[in-house]
Amino acid sequence: MSLDSTLHALLFHRSRREAFLRGELDLPADEAQALSVVDVDQLEQASRLACEGILTRSHRGSGSLLDAFARTIAAWRSLEHDAIIARAQHATPLFELAAAFTESRHFGGYSALPTCAGGASLEEAFFRFADETAIGDAPTRLAEYAAAILRALVVTPKPSFRIPDFVHRAPGGYFAVLDAGPTLVAALDGRFVTGPITPFLAALLDAREAPDRVAARFGVDARGLETASGELRRLRLVE
Amino acid sequence: MTLLPPSPSRLELGIGLDLRWGKEPGFWHDPVRGDVVSADVVAFLDRHAADFGHLFVSWQPRDRAELDARDYFPAYDALFTDVGASYPIRALHHTALNLGALEPYDRAEILEMTNALIARYGFAWVNEDLGLWSIHGKPLPYPLPPYLCEPGLRAAIRNVCEVRAALRAPLLVEFPGFSDGMAFVIGRLHAYDFFRVVAEEADTAVTLDTGHLLSYQWLRGRRGKDLLDELDRLPLERCFEIHLSGCEIAGDRFLDLHHGVLLDAQLELLDRLLALCPKVRAVTYEDPVFDAAGMLAPAAARSFECLRRASRRWGQA
């Protein structure tokens, strides 16, 4: 550990902070000396601000994590209420969630501007954390994650963060097809577009299979295929 | 030789505004006109064009796109077009240089973008807190002070040297804030000594923020007149700019609120610093609260009037 790693842990890892406050964090002598003057109350307040700020910090296009994952977080609130009350008096539901997230390995993989360099977005980190800890239901988590990323791509077509594999490039921008529905979620020519689509259109957008084979599989004739393809071209989802 | 901004050449009052994106006051995206500055900002700057000589704006990331100065041009163009010939001296307050970082921190892209902004808008200086805006890539809601220990000192000197050498405008390093609930001290070095040594070793000009200085002494347990002690430990000879942002004492908490309402202690500290800093040329009223018509909130207006009266005395001096 170096002093910056220790400070990071004190701010974002509750278990490490609590160990430090109990005097149980194993530190080199020079770090222990530098940290011996830390005001415990100030550290606690700064940590709470930093952790809650991760949930409430708003990003252009997608808003905050609270906005983007509203239904997933609502599910967490309803399940965790008793556990929250059992915690320290000053704890709030929001802080409990923030503390659990910022201590996760997924948060560790996230980095904000200007040092992100193609790393995970905050939404990706939160999605993976929620997925691993089974917060909410899987289709809702994925739908909220996809919508957040596509909304972000509407205003930042050249993002600094990594674009997830399930998001595809299109002539007009980006799109994803979610199994549930199926549902199209897209950032096309500066607009956010989402809605249910037919399984046939979903299969056409899946570039792994040639359009004529897809049409044959769905029993669609050449005229039907041309109509569907024309609509996808009109939306600038395909060439 | 320390690089000082060439202007202003005489002591003057200016204004500093933190213009965030998507919120008023700040920048926002109009579907027809593109990125523009909110009308309240323009109204405020118009209303006070005769009161302030210089204007600094705080850089905030527009979005999460790869850094490209061209993304910022429309909004900044709109701002400086709207203010016209007013505020001839313009500066940039940075928020991403992370001068207190101990860890490696790649500044190449942010410096390139900053230099492009300097080239386009002729910023007379770039100001930045000597603190931590992020750690391990995780953003912090308020900059933390640097590590007040020997490794922290060496890192801060190294960081300031790097940035000062790379920027195409003079760098003013600002004494960091220690606002209650947002900051805590790591290390045993006195922050005034730490700051002075960084300024001297990195040979940089500095900004002294009255609220930040008071917040440090408050955190050390000083009260009343003792808050103004130890000023001789600061790099007074290198001070080019003094900031006054709104602060408040709530119970036993010192809060750096940036609301434009100044404490008497801030005004008293300003007087002391003006007498002690031979090269100070810019006194900047930072982030006052104003309404949609650009009118200062009543409490801030009283503080501003005190400042304006004081600035007339400087003119006579």
Side-chain angles (χ1 to χ4, degrees), chain A residues 4-5 7-8 34 36-37 42 45-46 49 57 59-60 62 107-108 110-115 123 156 158 160, chain B residues 29 62-67 102-103 105 135-139 147 149 180-188 253:
Chain A
D4 52 298
S5 295
L7 174 58
H8 176 264
S36 64
V37 297
Q42 295 290 327
Q45 290 180 63
L49 272 177
R57 188 183 183 91
H59 295 102
R60 185 162 176 251
S62 55
F107 181 70
Y110 151 71
S111 190
L113 272 174
T115 57
E123 290 87 348
T156 53
K158 287 172 64 182
S160 54
Chain B
H29 185 77
R62 175 180 181 270
D63 50 32
R64 291 182 285 173
E66 293 172 4
L67 284 177
L102 198 54
E103 62 192 314
Y105 182 79
I135 181 162
H136 286 202
K138 312 300 187 291
Y147 307 88
C149 55
D180 193 293
M182 299 175 177
F184 54 92
V185 170
I186 292 176
R188 295 177 174 277
R253 305 180 69 201

Side-chain angles (χ1 to χ4, degrees), chain A residues 63-151:
Chain A
S64 68
L65 288 179
L66 296 180
D67 302 323
F69 290 91
R71 287 183 291 161
T72 298
I73 291 174
W76 179 87
R77 282 180 190 264
S78 65
L79 285 176
E80 298 289 327
H81 191 64
D82 290 344
I84 291 161
I85 291 172
R87 282 201 175 266
Q89 288 180 350
H90 58 263
T92 63
L94 190 60
F95 177 67
E96 290 298 319
L97 179 62
F101 173 45
T102 57
E103 190 150 10
S104 73
R105 64 192 176 99
H106 303 295
F107 181 70
Y110 151 71
S111 190
L113 272 174
T115 57
C116 36
S121 64
L122 188 58
E123 290 87 348
E124 179 180 339
F126 187 81
F127 169 75
R128 291 186 184 282
F129 157 75
D131 214 37
E132 189 170 83
T133 51
I135 298 175
D137 66 86
T140 300
R141 281 195 301 270
L142 182 60
E144 292 189 319
Y145 173 35
I149 292 296
L150 271 303
R151 284 185 191 280

Side-chain angles (χ1 to χ4, degrees), chain B residues 28-232:
Chain B
W28 61 285
H29 185 77
D30 181 283
V32 177
R33 295 183 294 158
D35 289 346
V36 293
V37 65
S38 57
D40 54 350
V41 171
V42 178
F44 173 79
L45 292 174
D46 277 349
R47 187 179 294 277
H48 291 284
D51 298 319
F52 300 120
H54 61 272
L55 162 68
F56 82 58
V57 291
S58 293
W59 183 82
Q60 297 285 357
R62 175 180 181 270
D63 50 32
R64 291 182 285 173
E66 293 172 4
L67 284 177
D68 187 335
R70 290 171 296 186
D71 288 344
Y72 293 81
F73 289 169
Y76 281 39
D77 283 357
L79 169 68
F80 294 124
T81 299
D82 285 344
V83 300
S86 304
Y87 304 90
I89 300 168
R90 294 155 185 183
L92 186 71
H93 191 327
H94 227 302
T95 62
L97 296 174
N98 229 17
L99 295 177
L102 198 54
E103 62 192 314
Y105 182 79
D106 185 355
R107 298 181 180 84
E109 289 184 13
I110 194 83
L111 287 169
E112 182 183 343
M113 187 207 68
T114 307
N115 279 333
L117 296 175
I118 292 168
R120 188 173 181 91
Y121 302 109
F123 290 132
W125 66 84
V126 174
N127 158 266
E128 171 68 300
D129 295 58
L130 185 59
L132 300 165
W133 289 96
S134 65
I135 181 162
H136 286 202
K138 312 300 187 291
L140 298 169
Y142 184 89
L144 285 176
Y147 307 88
L148 299 177
C149 55
E150 281 301 324
L153 180 63
R154 288 194 297 276
I157 293 168
R158 194 167 57 242
N159 295 337
V160 173
C161 284
E162 177 199 336
V163 170
R164 191 178 72 87
L167 283 180
R168 294 183 189 145
L171 173 67
L172 301 184
V173 177
E174 179 171 344
F175 184 84
F178 291 80
S179 187
D180 193 293
M182 299 175 177
F184 54 92
V185 170
I186 292 176
R188 295 177 174 277
L189 295 176
H190 192 295
Y192 285 11
D193 293 337
F194 183 100
F195 187 66
R196 185 190 68 253
V197 173
V198 170
E200 289 172 350
E201 294 292 317
D203 194 16
T204 185
V206 303
T207 296
L208 297 176
D209 183 303
T210 55
H212 291 179
L213 296 173
L214 293 171
S215 69
Y216 177 64
Q217 295 292 13
W218 187 275
L219 199 66
R220 297 180 70 225
R222 295 186 173 235
R223 300 292 184 268
K225 295 292 180 192
D226 293 347
L227 288 167
L228 306 184
D229 282 353
E230 303 184 307
L231 297 178
D232 58 336

